Amino acid sequence: MGERLTTSTLLVTEEDEKKHEIIRAKGEGKELTKEEKQRLRKEKKQHKKNKKDDRGPPEKEKEKEKASVPAPSKPATQSPAHKAAPVPVNASASESPVAAEKPAKSKAELRAERRARQDSERASKQGKKEGGQQSTSSKPKATPNELQPVVKRLPDHVQVDDPVALKKLAKKLERQQKSGQGCSLNITGVKVPLRSDYGYKVSLFSHLHQYSRKNPPTQQISIPVTVIHPSIVRLGLQYSQGIIAGSNARSVALLHAFKQVIQDYSTPPNEELSRDLVNKLSPYISFLSQCRPLSASMGNAIKYIKKEISNIPSQCKEEEAKRILQECIDSYINEKIILASEAISKYAIEKISDGDVILVYGCSSLVNHILCEAFEKQRKFRVIVVDSRPRLEGREALRRLVKKGIRCTYVLISALSYILPEVSKVFLGAHALLANGYVMSRVGTSQIALVAKAYNVPVLVCCETYKFCERVQTDSFVSNELDDPDDLIVTRNGKTHLENWQTVKSLGLLNLVYDVTPPDFVDLVITDLGMIPCTSVPVVLRVKNVDQ
Amino acid sequence: MPGADKETDLSERIESFLSELKRCGSGAGSLRGSAETARETTALLRRITAQARWGNAGELMEIIRKEGRRMTAAQPSETTVGNMIRRVLKIIREEYARSRGSSEETDQQESLHKLLTSGGSSEDNFRQHFTHLKANVIEAINELLTELEGTTDNISMQALEHIHSNEVIMTIGRSRTVEAFLKDAARKRKFHVIVAECAPFCQGHEMATSLCKEDIETTVIPDAAIFAVMSRVNKVIIGTQTVLANGGLRAVNGTHTLALAAKHHSTPLIVCAPMFKLSPQVPDTPYNHTKLKSVDTILYIHILSKVNAHCPVFDYVPPELITLFISNIGGNAPSYIYRLMSELYHPEDHEL
């Protein structure tokens, strides 16, 4: 007993000592390493624990165990309190429940101080050596993400078969209704709805959601009181019903909705805009991903917005901050989407020669734009539009091209082998480009690339750089989207065979939305940075990260 | 006169059969499936043999050829009609040769020696009259009919040799042969079937519902997802409309894409086709790729006038993409098809 007391008192004194040291270090403008920050947080936690319950020997042993794991720096006097080498995932996992309990201020304070320190650090350009503390985890800012252990958290929408993950998601959605309120509002019993799956899922895809269009996610939300901004609700419904579809359209709609949200936002008292607005956006994003899983382009746009918001200096007035944010969003849309498509058209038109027969698939806004531009520049070509059930998006593309006056032919994807001998080039759009060179696009794209390869027809993929994504994927199963299975039902010759598919127990309908095309089927990728081969995608990602 | 009655009766039947053939292209006729067409054709040929006026084998063959040309002209895509006619012609030749007393082997093999020594054509135009020829021919045609009736069962019997448990099998469209094949295997083994629906007519839906009745785990996928799911498929089993002379297929549209995807993933492609589908045509004859259906099945909107739309019905699949043919006489590689064909049809009958 006595021993324990002394250890804990020793800990307390050691903690205080360290705290003083850390505050001293802060004052000197040196950077606090990640380890030290984690250590500080863990010590606080321990401190609380020691105060509350008397575990006695087991806890002491636990501490001793953790201490025995090699810690990179500090001298031996402080070893019992050291934790192991930083593993970001464990840290964040253990911290998130702790963080939720702690008042938001201290975390925000730490972050602000950290940022101030980073700025001063960059300005003064000091060397980062600090008495052996910086052994493994020093990250010079010039080369980004060099050897950072990239253990990302698995997204929720591919963990449907894991009941633990589903419970966590439900809890998170519940929590978000409270955190989004702030102290002034007083809404009860309204939460971001957890949408339920529909119909029998094919066993290979039991880890993905499958929603029905007939059960919109807003059924459980009561009107008018809601924690979600109405333009976001509208957007979510438009996504889930398929009114807004297509990667660019969804991103632009999202950004416009966020502009509206920022316009209507007012900072609650005692809160900073840069922190509170980000917290406000989280339930909106959860709601949207319940309506329809986020696309890669939307994910990148959201990351950008969050970064911009958190970069707002704290002394900025609210009106000024809002104006800055609106401008940022406008410039993002302009740069990454509109101007990018102009640049891509310019490159692509070089590849279209007179007398070409161009094959396109589905409705890609970018490819349609390229073809319309090429037609305006007096290129002589004709287009073959390939379409597929159940979405039949090719009809929309056909309509737009015919309106321009381009000569078009229309076939279904099963007629591909029949029509390909006439084709000279294939232009495809992309939903995202993955870091291993695979192209993620509408289902059927890989098939077109495969058959085109068999007939030796060049395949060109057109994609803006904001759709480049750091994920890697090798097949179309692990991360995909399942659309409403009822879309496959059709009446032919007066008979609807699949009408009662739910009643038949061994029948499943599979309506995939995306598939991945291996890079050896793709000859060229046209981006706003130029024409690159498929395998250069990670290079572009790296360049982009350095720029940011 | 009984003879005249017989003749008018015969010509009536032929006319009604021709009109059936013409209508069955649009799905409105009553002849469903190649097997039924083959049976009807053979039955009709037997009737012609029995009731038409002919004196010797040569005349009979002329009559049959004439009717055969009319039948194939009525529905060029239905090749089983032409195949049955060629089979019957071969039967006639064989019976004639047997009646004449010469052994069968020397007649069949066109050896270089025979060509040089015989000088002219060796059949002497089939002008000899044999009293029992009619009976023999009819008996042989009856044998052919029995064979036709047993083809589907013969093929299904081989199912267990090719399907193991927990397999994932992919198929496209609707083929009665494949349906029987899978149902037979399902009696003893548990496996999973993925059916590509084959737009625009979506025959795959019918296939799926029919398979589900036997408690086979079925999944329906749209055509666009064929390559996406192919990596999890163990075997591709398809039916076909025609097997061509080089071992290639003329099958429902979308099959070529399926075959290419299977080749890419090194998945075996098995074709279940009874022998009466074997046709001496080669890929570059007309009507080979397409029988264009009316395009309003795929495009209903008003811009149809400004747009070309294509809706082919059949696809050509080259023999390199096919792994195995399963027919009522067993399993064969595509490279062996030419040999089987020489046993079924006489070379002079390839052009009717």
Side-chain angles (χ1 to χ4, degrees), chain A residues 13 18 22 31 83 116 143 185 189 213 253 296 393 427 445 447 539:
Chain A
T13 48
K18 248 190 291 146
I22 287 170
E31 188 198 29
K83 290 287 160 81
T143 45
L185 300 171
R213 207 160 287 134
E393 290 170 331
F427 272 80
T445 312
Q447 218 162 296
V539 177

Side-chain angles (χ1 to χ4, degrees), chain A residues 105-306:
Chain A
K105 270 201 170 181
S106 63
K107 222 171 89 176
E109 258 184 347
L110 271 174
R111 234 188 273 140
E113 282 160 346
R114 213 185 305 147
R115 206 169 299 115
R117 230 174 301 113
Q118 283 175 7
D119 291 336
S120 59
E121 161 89 328
R122 237 180 273 136
S124 60
K125 266 200 190 172
Q126 278 189 3
K128 290 181 191 146
K129 297 291 181 217
E130 197 186 339
Q133 286 174 2
Q134 320 290 340
S135 38
T136 46
S137 60
S138 66
K139 284 175 282 158
K141 290 288 185 287
T143 45
N145 305 332
E146 191 105 66
L147 297 165
Q148 190 182 16
V150 185
V151 183
K152 299 190 190 109
R153 216 184 38 158
L154 198 58
D156 288 317
H157 71 274
V158 295
Q159 287 195 78
V160 176
D161 54 350
D162 184 7
V164 176
L166 282 180
K167 257 195 257 175
K168 261 198 197 159
L169 175 66
K171 275 207 190 130
K172 176 177 138 200
L173 291 177
E174 264 189 56
R175 240 187 306 125
Q176 281 178 342
Q177 58 113 352
K178 293 189 197 120
S179 66
Q181 284 176 24
C183 14
S184 49
L185 300 171
N186 195 15
I187 302 161
T188 53
V190 177
K191 57 177 181 172
V192 176
L194 189 64
R195 215 171 161 194
S196 51
D197 285 344
Y198 166 75
Y200 169 70
K201 262 192 284 191
V202 179
S203 57
L204 285 169
F205 293 94
S206 56
H207 61 287
L208 298 173
H209 284 295
Q210 182 170 281
Y211 300 129
S212 163
R213 207 160 287 134
K214 296 200 206 72
N215 303 332
T218 47
Q219 275 175 351
Q220 297 107 320
I221 296 185
S222 57
I223 302 166
V225 167
T226 171
V227 82
I228 303 172
H229 194 279
S231 62
I232 301 278
V233 177
R234 184 178 63 173
L235 187 65
L237 276 177
Q238 283 171 331
Y239 284 167
S240 71
Q241 301 298 103
I243 298 171
I244 295 187
S247 180
N248 279 343
R250 283 165 74 188
S251 308
V252 170
L254 177 75
L255 291 169
H256 282 302
F258 276 174
K259 265 172 68 172
Q260 188 65 38
V261 166
I262 291 173
Q263 189 65 40
D264 296 338
Y265 171 75
S266 55
T267 322
N270 298 332
E271 293 281 345
E272 273 219 26
L273 181 137
S274 54
R275 279 179 303 280
D276 187 59
L277 185 54
V278 175
N279 290 341
K280 261 266 183 353
L281 289 180
S282 304
Y284 300 165
I285 295 166
S286 307
F287 172 71
L288 289 176
S289 63
Q290 286 288 304
C291 295
R292 191 173 162 191
L294 298 182
S295 66
S297 51
M298 285 164 70
N300 288 345
I302 290 172
K303 256 191 253 171
Y304 174 78
I305 290 185
K306 283 191 173 169

